[in-house]
Amino acid sequence: MPDPVSFIKKIYLPGLIIPGNILLAPIAGYTDAAFRFICTEFGAFLCFTEMVSAEALSRSNLKTLKLLKRSNSEVLLGVQIFASNPDSAARAVQAVLPFSPSLLDLNCGCSVHKILKAGCGAALLMEPCRIRDIVRAMRSESSVPVSVKLRSGWDLQSINYLKTAEMALKGGASLINIHPRTKAQGFTGKASLNHIKTLKENIDLPIIGSGDLFSAEDALNMVKETGCDGVMLARGAIGNPFIFSEAIALFSGNHTYLVPTSEEKLKTALRHLSFAIKFKGEYQACRELRKHFCAYTKGMPGAAVIRKRVSHAVKQKDYEELAADLLNSSR
């Protein structure tokens, strides 16, 4: 019997080899050191920090710098910045270098109003040459490879992902990640997989696809249908870091992976909390884990009642009690 076809592949960038092609995207308010640690345990080959402001980095803003904290076991780390001009982007790179990033990413896809108002994120899609200039400035400051996160365009009347990717390449980008929706779409409608396929056929860089990846099957289908070099998981990983081990199994030709039980999900949620406490202390960690805990427990019997109690969880023992009660409800 022939060996199963494997879709796991290394990603080769200047000065960096990412050992696999299933990555964790930057997610504001979620991808801190604790969540990245959990996702890495389940197989994520590289994880990104939350998106950080170039201007705040250049001012050494303590709150922003804390977003770059990492665990000792986190060998590879991607840092995504948002910037409106080459000067601030260059200063941001200088501020990030002491944290030893493996990959620097320029966000050209965020559609949050305050980001757009500052001329950052998806606003850059309207000025492809500015993407080129910002990437060039980032590349001039270090040997760390630079990637660019794109959307398909500003709206359906201005689909220009090939142009923006071309400018990113000219600026010195080493990788392109595309979420194939427009800024105007936000997260509505469906991701246009044909945009990923066309980008891969026309731009000579590794192409990472994202968008609508809520299961391991979704991830494998994206690679098969578009020919992209890998996937970047975002919303599908929240409360579900197991998606990485499941995707690795599918990509490797193993279609018999085990779906986590309620008990396994709850144990993972409590380990997530324990690690968050080490980084942030019990007070902050318990408050921030509320949204994660709700995601971990989604769909479990009795979860709706438990979620109402989560808003009052302020100590580790509160979560332990919640988990025990929920597990009893699931039996």
Side-chain angles (χ1 to χ4, degrees), residues 32 34 271-282 285 289:
D32 60 4
R271 288 192 66 251
H272 186 161
L273 173 61
S274 179
F275 198 75
I277 289 173
K278 292 179 182 179
F279 265 86
K280 301 181 178 182
E282 188 174 40
L289 197 84

Side-chain angles (χ1 to χ4, degrees), residues 145-273:
V146 174
S147 60
V148 176
K149 167 67 178 292
L150 298 173
R151 278 183 176 254
S152 297
W154 182 262
D155 55 29
L156 294 177
Q157 287 69 49
S158 56
I159 301 294
N160 66 343
Y161 61 93
L162 286 177
K163 182 65 175 180
T164 52
E166 179 187 357
M167 289 297 103
L169 175 60
K170 287 185 176 181
S174 300
L175 179 148
I176 301 291
N177 170 41
I178 180 169
H179 182 144
R181 285 184 171 92
T182 66
K183 172 268 170 192
Q185 284 179 289
F187 293 101
T188 64
K190 290 186 178 181
S192 301
L193 295 186
N194 60 304
H195 290 178
I196 302 176
K197 185 175 187 293
T198 300
L199 187 63
K200 179 58 187 172
E201 292 170 347
N202 286 274
I203 297 294
D204 189 21
L205 285 177
I207 304 298
I208 304 297
S210 62
D212 294 347
L213 301 179
F214 295 104
S215 69
E217 289 79 8
D218 292 337
L220 181 58
N221 288 340
M222 178 176 282
V223 172
K224 285 182 173 180
E225 291 183 27
T226 70
C228 65
D229 298 283
V231 293
M232 190 175 289
L233 304 173
R235 292 175 292 163
I238 297 173
N240 185 30
F242 321 98
I243 194 173
F244 290 100
S245 58
E246 293 167 358
I248 289 171
L250 275 188
F251 277 47
S252 301
N254 179 5
H255 294 262
T256 58
Y257 64 84
L258 297 177
V259 176
T261 64
S262 294
E263 184 174 5
E264 289 169 334
K265 290 180 180 180
L266 290 168
K267 283 183 177 179
T268 302
L270 292 178
R271 288 192 66 251
H272 186 161
L273 173 61

Side-chain angles (χ1 to χ4, degrees), residues 125-141:
L125 300 175
M126 303 294 284
E127 299 181 59
C129 289
R130 192 145 57 101
I131 294 175
R132 176 199 61 201
D133 295 343
I134 293 175
V135 171
R136 184 174 290 159
M138 294 172 67
R139 289 288 296 114
S140 70
E141 295 300 320

